[in-house]
């Protein structure tokens, strides 16, 4: 997807969110989506590892002083150790 298409898609998703329409989005780049959704679910091998509001995730990032991608990666790594 080129830059213009990507921005149009993100704006469209944000519009759906504002209208209260539920969306299921898969992405390898959660950091760019968190500003456009209310909640985030992180799954690994079909198992929910995290289900949290976008606001709470951003607060966790601020507290831990990490990017969203690094926070989610660390959660996956931690859950992988427990399995």
């Amino acid at each position: 997807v080129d830059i213009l298409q990507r921005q149009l898609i993100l704006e469209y998703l944000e519009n759906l969110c504002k209208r209260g329409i539920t969306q299921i989005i898969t992405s390898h780049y959660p950091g760019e989506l968190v500003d456009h959704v209310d909640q985030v679910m992180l799954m690994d091998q079909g198992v929910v590892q995290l289900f949290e509001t976008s606001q709470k995730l951003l607060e966790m990032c601020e507290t831990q002083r990490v990017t969203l991608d690094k926070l989610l990666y660390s959660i996956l790594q931690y859950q992988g150790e427990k399995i």
Side-chain angles (χ1 to χ4, degrees), residues 1-14:
V1 176
D2 68 35
I3 295 170
L4 180 58
Q5 288 176 332
R6 183 178 144 274
Q7 187 59 38
L8 289 173
I9 290 169
L10 291 174
E11 288 174 7
Y12 181 74
L13 295 175
E14 188 171 5

Side-chain angles (χ1 to χ4, degrees), residues 67-82:
T67 65
L68 179 64
D69 291 337
K70 286 185 179 182
L71 175 68
L72 297 177
Y73 178 75
S74 68
I75 290 168
L76 286 176
Q77 289 295 101
Y78 175 74
Q79 294 298 331
E81 291 174 5
K82 289 172 41 176

Side-chain angles (χ1 to χ4, degrees), residues 33-40 51-63 68 71:
L33 292 177
V34 75
D35 293 331
H36 304 279
V37 299
D38 293 328
Q39 297 177 317
V40 175
F51 185 61
E52 194 57 77
T53 66
S54 299
Q55 183 62 36
K56 178 68 174 173
L57 284 177
L58 294 174
E59 289 170 6
M60 291 168 65
C61 290
E62 189 173 314
T63 299
L68 179 64
L71 175 68

Side-chain angles (χ1 to χ4, degrees), residues 10-38:
L10 291 174
E11 288 174 7
Y12 181 74
L13 295 175
E14 188 171 5
N15 234 347
L16 291 175
C17 182
K18 287 178 182 176
R19 292 174 36 205
I21 297 173
T22 299
Q23 309 161 58
I24 298 174
I25 306 165
T26 60
S27 176
H28 291 279
Y29 306 102
E32 73 179 14
L33 292 177
V34 75
D35 293 331
H36 304 279
V37 299
D38 293 328

